[in-house]
Amino acid sequence: MMKKLFLFLVLALALACAALPAVAAGPDVATTPSLNQGKKWRIAYIETGPYANYAGTLYYLLKGLEARGWVKGVDKVPFAWGQLDTKTMWSYVSAQGDFSAFIEFLPDGYYSLKASPGQEPAVLKRFTSTKDADLLIVMGTVAGKLMAVDENLSKTMVFSTSNAFKSGIVKSPDMSGRPRVWAHMDPYRYKQQLQVFSDIFKFKKLGVVYEDSLNGKAFAAIDDIEAISKEKRFEIVRRLVPGAKSPEDQERYFKDLLQAHQELSAEVDGFYYAISPAPGLKPEHLYTSLRPFYDRKIPVFSQLGDEEVDRGALLSIARADFAGVGHFGSEQMVKMLNGSNADALPQTYSDTPAIALNLAVSRQIGWKPTFEILLVTDKVFETVKTPVVSAVK
């Protein structure tokens, strides 16, 4: 089994490296800094809601722009690994007059949809009627679908979706098929996760919870789970829980999710904890919600990554950081600013997978990772970062 795992990780690395030439692919459009007819390019930002992947992606997009000479001083942007907040980052870059001689990050051009529910019509109206932004940076499936519907909008770049193609944001995984909309695609990510999880634990019944909607199925990567279940011959046991609609709805979501986990823990021998729509589950609730599985010695894999392993998931495979996608995305961004249509640029980029493991949880379920697994693990957490850490034995 370990030899197979090693071979898989080598293959995953090859796939990630195979994506690197795409950074330089596409039309021969200059990426050197430029102005928009003598004025700075105006950029706005729309996200689904507070989420660590959005903050990480935004920061490394800025790093990519800095590497190409479009901005400077990115190290001073308020960012720490794992943070959810992007507003402080946007406020900083929009307030610094010397941050860029070529780009204006609109001070009033920041929107977090789930943080202030009900603003979607106003956001659409602003960018369709006034057109005061030359390019929109969009994070997440919900925000991506909103800003992809109207062809009258400015050029739009969508990041951090579960699957922008299956969500209808773009028409193809490789090239968008839409002159003004581009979306980052990582078609192997969730399949890699499920293959490794299955190879390690050989579960027969995999539990998963998601919202019964097109978005909910996309967030949870249900198509990928079903594909790998056929390949690995395990049964999928499902529970449907409506996602949190607002910050005030998070407590209800937590209670419903806990109930679903309690039911599933009696039926499965593996659990795949999938991303939920923002605002989702409060970080401090994660370990408590997963405790029913650990009480029955059932392993839990986090779809999100090491942030959730730190807070109580057993293991995950995610990006080591966002430098790769930031470099890739920033190159496509400046090409779009310099005149390229979105549908002329590549969208697919896969990072080298990074394994994260929580040893406190592994001890709790009585699983001792082999030397080979520890050897290929990038991040090891000794404890659970949660108010109920004392419950971990």
Side-chain angles (χ1 to χ4, degrees), residues 109-130:
Y110 174 93
Y111 296 91
S112 186
L113 301 181
K114 295 287 185 176
S116 300
Q119 60 181 317
E120 289 86 349
V123 174
L124 272 177
K125 183 177 180 181
R126 171 181 177 173
F127 293 116
T128 53
S129 60
T130 64

Side-chain angles (χ1 to χ4, degrees), residues 197 201-209 225 234-239 257-273 289-301 365:
F197 191 29
F201 290 100
K202 304 293 183 182
F203 43 77
K204 300 299 182 183
K205 292 185 177 182
L206 179 69
V208 62
V209 177
I225 296 174
F234 59 79
E235 179 184 344
I236 305 170
V237 185
R238 313 166 195 246
R239 288 294 186 278
L257 192 64
L258 180 59
Q259 177 64 35
H261 289 179
Q262 289 170 339
E263 294 173 3
L264 282 171
S265 67
E267 303 177 38
V268 303
D269 54 344
F271 182 69
Y272 186 66
Y273 182 68
S289 76
L290 298 178
R291 184 67 183 265
F293 297 107
Y294 300 150
D295 288 343
R296 293 177 179 267
K297 312 300 183 185
I298 297 169
V300 173
F301 192 105
I365 67 172

Side-chain angles (χ1 to χ4, degrees), residues 1 40 80 92 108 151 217 230 266 270 279 312 327 335:
M1 182 272 287
K40 289 185 178 182
Y92 178 85
D108 64 343
E151 294 299 337
K217 292 177 180 178
K230 295 177 182 178
H327 176 76
K335 286 182 177 181

Side-chain angles (χ1 to χ4, degrees), residues 55-348:
T57 301
L58 176 59
Y59 180 77
Y60 281 100
L61 277 173
L62 295 174
K63 293 290 284 184
L65 291 173
E66 183 177 44
R68 291 177 170 80
W70 286 72
V71 304
K72 61 182 180 179
V74 176
D75 287 343
K76 296 180 181 179
V77 174
F79 171 75
W81 181 258
Q83 77 179 49
L84 306 180
D85 173 57
T86 54
K87 189 172 184 179
T88 55
M89 299 169 63
W90 192 263
S91 296
Y92 178 85
V93 300
S94 62
Q96 306 302 310
D98 61 347
F99 186 70
S100 176
F102 307 97
I103 296 174
E104 178 186 3
F105 298 89
L106 295 175
D108 64 343
Y110 174 93
Y111 296 91
S112 186
L113 301 181
K114 295 287 185 176
S116 300
Q119 60 181 317
E120 289 86 349
V123 174
L124 272 177
K125 183 177 180 181
R126 171 181 177 173
F127 293 116
T128 53
S129 60
T130 64
K131 287 198 172 183
D132 61 343
D134 301 302
L135 185 141
L136 307 177
I137 299 174
V138 181
M139 300 282 181
T141 302
V142 172
K145 291 181 71 172
L146 175 71
M147 305 311 295
V149 296
D150 195 322
E151 294 299 337
N152 292 316
L153 284 165
S154 303
K155 289 185 176 181
T156 300
M157 303 192 75
V158 184
F159 295 89
S160 200
T161 69
S162 293
N163 191 310
F165 168 56
K166 292 179 181 177
S167 299
I169 295 170
V170 292
K171 297 180 179 180
S172 169
D174 298 322
M175 311 292 272
S176 75
R178 307 186 66 180
R180 70 163 198 87
V181 179
W182 178 97
H184 170 231
M185 293 290 301
D186 185 355
Y188 310 110
R189 180 182 178 187
Y190 302 125
K191 289 182 178 180
Q192 287 175 350
Q193 292 182 346
L194 291 156
Q195 287 169 332
V196 169
F197 191 29
S198 175
D199 285 345
I200 293 174
F201 290 100
K202 304 293 183 182
F203 43 77
K204 300 299 182 183
K205 292 185 177 182
L206 179 69
V208 62
V209 177
Y210 59 96
E211 184 177 74
D212 189 18
S213 65
L214 290 177
N215 281 344
K217 292 177 180 178
F219 281 126
I222 296 301
D223 287 350
D224 289 337
I225 296 174
E226 291 175 344
I228 299 302
S229 72
K230 295 177 182 178
E231 175 187 327
K232 298 294 184 179
R233 298 183 180 180
F234 59 79
E235 179 184 344
I236 305 170
V237 185
R238 313 166 195 246
R239 288 294 186 278
L240 305 177
V241 174
K245 305 305 179 186
S246 67
E248 294 73 27
D249 193 33
Q250 285 180 298
E251 291 297 326
R252 188 276 312 161
Y253 177 63
F254 166 61
K255 292 177 182 178
D256 289 353
L257 192 64
L258 180 59
Q259 177 64 35
H261 289 179
Q262 289 170 339
E263 294 173 3
L264 282 171
S265 67
E267 303 177 38
V268 303
D269 54 344
F271 182 69
Y272 186 66
Y273 182 68
I275 306 170
S276 60
L281 189 68
K282 291 181 179 179
E284 60 266 27
H285 284 165
L286 179 63
Y287 175 79
T288 303
S289 76
L290 298 178
R291 184 67 183 265
F293 297 107
Y294 300 150
D295 288 343
R296 293 177 179 267
K297 312 300 183 185
I298 297 169
V300 173
F301 192 105
S302 162
Q303 186 190 70
L304 173 59
D306 60 88
E307 301 100 312
E308 290 182 342
V309 176
D310 189 15
R311 292 187 177 273
L314 173 63
L315 76 162
S316 184
I317 294 178
R319 296 184 176 97
D321 59 34
F322 294 86
V325 70
H327 176 76
F328 176 69
S330 64
E331 178 152 350
Q332 313 318 314
M333 181 183 298
V334 298
K335 286 182 177 181
M336 288 173 68
L337 292 177
N338 279 338
S340 176
N341 282 343
D343 58 358
L345 298 171
Q347 299 184 127
T348 300

Side-chain angles (χ1 to χ4, degrees), residues 345-363:
L345 298 171
Q347 299 184 127
T348 300
Y349 176 85
S350 296
D351 286 298
T352 304
I355 295 179
L357 172 66
N358 192 304
L359 292 180
V361 175
S362 73
R363 289 191 294 269

